[in-house]
Amino acid sequence: SIPIAKQLASIKALGKGSDLEKAFATVALVYNNSADPEGKLSKAETKSLLQTQFGSFTQGQENKPKYQEIISALDEELENKIDFEDFMILLVSLTLMSDLLQEIKNVKTTK
């Protein structure tokens, strides 16, 4: 398995890409590295990926009803698979409810 940083470096269009472009490319690469040949993830794989790659955003969310609803949906109907679009919606939903987002908003930038 080739490290994500090396995969990113191999994408010529991102050579001078912005931080945001590289962030989204990283998401796509992490997803693609875990997806099946059809480009989809099982719900169990999705849950595992969230735990291993998105833990800082999901930490402390376990008692929130919306988080429980999302995770419960991943535990049900395991034969259903998640495509990249649904995965991105899931990441955005979890980010919006995370405590880490507020901490990020509070970071002061120097200009």
Side-chain angles (χ1 to χ4, degrees):
S1 169
I2 300 169
I4 295 292
K6 195 166 192 173
Q7 290 178 34
L8 267 179
S10 73
I11 303 171
K12 290 180 184 171
L14 291 176
K16 294 183 179 180
S18 69
D19 291 341
L20 188 57
E21 290 168 329
K22 289 177 183 175
F24 272 89
T26 299
V27 172
L29 287 169
V30 168
Y31 178 89
N32 287 339
N33 286 340
S34 299
D36 65 16
E38 296 175 355
K40 295 186 177 188
L41 289 175
S42 72
K43 289 186 174 185
E45 290 167 325
T46 302
K47 187 175 178 180
S48 175
L49 196 58
L50 290 174
Q51 291 169 337
T52 60
Q53 295 287 320
F54 213 61
S56 295
F57 280 91
T58 59
Q59 185 176 2
Q61 305 307 304
E62 298 83 7
N63 294 325
K64 291 184 178 179
K66 184 65 179 170
Y67 177 83
Q68 290 175 348
E69 179 183 323
I70 289 169
I71 296 304
S72 292
L74 292 176
D75 289 335
E76 296 170 3
E77 301 177 36
L78 293 176
E79 69 278 357
N80 290 346
K81 296 199 172 189
I82 292 177
D83 62 16
F84 184 67
E85 182 179 330
D86 289 336
F87 184 73
M88 290 299 292
I89 292 168
L90 180 62
L91 289 183
V92 169
S93 298
L94 291 171
T95 300
L96 290 173
M97 74 174 72
S98 75
D99 297 330
L100 182 56
L101 181 60
Q102 190 57 49
E103 189 176 327
I104 290 166
K105 287 179 179 179
N106 291 336
V107 170
K108 300 296 180 208
T109 58
T110 56
K111 293 186 180 183

